[in-house]
Amino acid sequence: MHDLSILLIELGTVLLGLSLLGRIGRRTGLSPIPLYLIAGLAFGEGGLLPLSASEEFIEVGAEMGVILLLVMLGLEYSAGELVSNLRASAPAGLIDAVLNAVPGALFALLMGWDWVAALVLAGITWVSSSGVIAKVLSDLGRLGNRETPVVLSVLVIEDLAMALYLPFLTAVLAGVSLAAGATSLAIAVATVVIVLLVAIRFGNAISAFISADDAEALLLGVLGLTLLVSGMADKLQVSAAVGAFLVGIALSGPVAHHAVQLLTPLRDLFAAVFFVFFGLSTHPGEIPHVLLPALALAVLTMGTKVLTGYLGAKRAGIALPGRFRAGLALMPRGEFSIVIAGLAVAAGVEPQLASLATAYVLITVVTGPMLARIPDTEWFKAMLRKRTAVGHPVVPRPD
């Protein structure tokens, strides 16, 4: 009973604190994400008020946050839209891999690390945080923007690529044979293809099975299906986030519409918990030692992410403001980067890699949501208008 009382007190304190930080963020025009991360640092090991009883509960809540963020993203689009966007954005996905994975690998080699550490750091700098970006797009009201499908397509391509990269990396870190590594990779590919085919071919049947007439049954059904598929995907070494996203894609019509309304409060709650847990998992004392290398790496690869989004949106025919919105939205790294670093540290690869990855991710996650607001500022809009007026070959289009 004593442990339960401590758990309830800690959770109540954390949630009340997050409520206050969220209100402060919105009143000042800032994203609450950096405030949630700072709160996590304060409550984590080495912080001001370390949590003793609720950290495990918050960890589970953080996993729920990522899953709910991704299923809500999937509910915004149909399976047909996903396939067409993936086809159109495949070149952008290739550009994304080259511009963002290669700098990470080269940076590791410059640090004097071996090729395995280079492979790890390439993954850390490559993949953006779907959870953070989903929250940013929602906070800024950009889910319906013309450039958003480009952003989501890049994220989906990255998540699908992670479904192949993670089994391969795990095999490399474990030092298994080529045959065992190829088997793990084949299982991951088959799982992604099967889930995507089911989402496309049987999406209407799945929606019909989950009734939209009863709000309680709808909430339980959608949430249960999402967790089931996410768990199965994770068990098969495919990202749980990919599974959740594909569940959202599979649902359509009234079911999808009502599910968005019912899941939104849950998403907001667990998304906040996700960002707090990210801060909790970071020891503040480890950051100063790797701050300068992490800052240099962050500046470099945030710039390459902006270029990735800009080129992808340009290829899709998006006007200049939308290109910058797409690029700036892609900057934050997050959950996958931390998972990759955790696998490497557990395998004994470069002890400094964990603190470098944590500092790097924190820099991008704190500054990314702030910088994503730049295209909405008056001075940025005035600069674009001035550029158009002096004869640059920019054709304005409604975004």
Side-chain angles (χ1 to χ4, degrees), residues 17-332:
L18 294 181
S19 172
L20 179 60
L21 291 175
R23 291 171 63 185
I24 292 173
R26 286 175 177 83
R27 287 188 178 182
T28 57
L30 297 174
S31 170
I33 294 174
L35 301 179
Y36 295 159
L37 285 169
I38 294 170
L41 285 172
F43 289 122
E45 183 181 353
L48 299 176
L49 297 170
L51 301 179
S52 59
S54 57
E55 188 168 353
E56 185 176 347
F57 183 91
I58 291 175
E59 181 178 1
V60 176
E63 294 292 335
M64 288 285 294
V66 175
I67 289 170
L68 287 170
L69 282 166
L70 270 293
V71 73
M72 292 287 285
L73 270 182
L75 288 170
E76 296 288 336
Y77 299 93
S78 68
E81 290 172 333
L82 172 66
V83 173
S84 63
N85 286 332
L86 286 177
R87 288 174 178 170
S89 300
L94 180 60
I95 293 172
D96 178 38
V98 173
L99 289 180
N100 297 286
V102 173
L106 294 177
F107 195 88
L109 296 176
L110 287 175
M111 293 279 289
W113 297 346
D114 61 14
W115 71 271
V116 177
L119 178 64
V120 171
L121 196 57
I124 291 172
T125 58
W126 175 11
V127 62
S128 298
S129 171
S130 300
V132 174
I133 293 170
K135 180 64 174 172
V136 170
L137 294 176
S138 176
D139 286 346
L140 298 181
R142 294 182 185 172
L143 290 178
N145 283 21
R146 286 190 63 222
E147 76 276 359
T148 298
V150 175
V151 174
L152 296 183
S153 296
V154 171
L155 293 178
V156 172
I157 290 172
E158 287 181 348
D159 285 349
L160 293 175
M162 285 299 105
L164 310 179
Y165 170 85
L166 288 177
F168 176 73
L169 178 65
T170 303
V172 170
L173 294 174
V176 302
S177 65
L178 180 62
T183 301
S184 297
L185 191 61
I187 292 173
V189 172
T191 302
V192 170
V193 171
I194 290 171
V195 173
L196 189 56
L197 286 176
V198 169
I200 293 172
R201 298 198 174 200
F202 303 104
N204 291 333
I206 295 172
S207 297
F209 174 75
I210 301 176
S211 173
D213 298 330
D214 186 335
E216 180 180 353
L218 174 62
L219 176 61
L220 294 173
V222 172
L223 190 58
L225 180 63
T226 302
L227 294 177
L228 176 63
V229 174
S230 298
M232 292 173 64
D234 187 67
K235 194 70 174 177
L236 293 170
Q237 297 184 338
V238 179
S239 164
V242 172
F245 183 82
L246 293 177
V247 169
I249 290 292
L251 300 176
S252 60
V255 169
H257 175 72
H258 291 301
V260 168
Q261 296 176 325
L262 293 171
L263 289 174
T264 296
L266 284 176
R267 177 202 63 188
D268 293 341
L269 168 63
F270 286 106
V273 172
F274 162 69
F275 297 118
V276 169
F277 177 73
F278 192 84
L280 283 175
S281 61
T282 303
H283 196 298
E286 298 175 353
I287 295 178
H289 305 292
V290 294
L291 188 57
L292 288 180
L295 183 60
L297 184 61
V299 171
L300 173 64
T301 55
M302 289 171 76
T304 55
K305 276 292 181 182
V306 173
L307 183 58
T308 298
Y310 183 95
L311 294 176
K314 180 180 180 181
R315 189 176 182 277
I318 308 298
L320 194 59
R323 297 174 198 170
F324 282 106
R325 285 196 296 267
L328 291 167
L330 285 169
M331 290 189 296

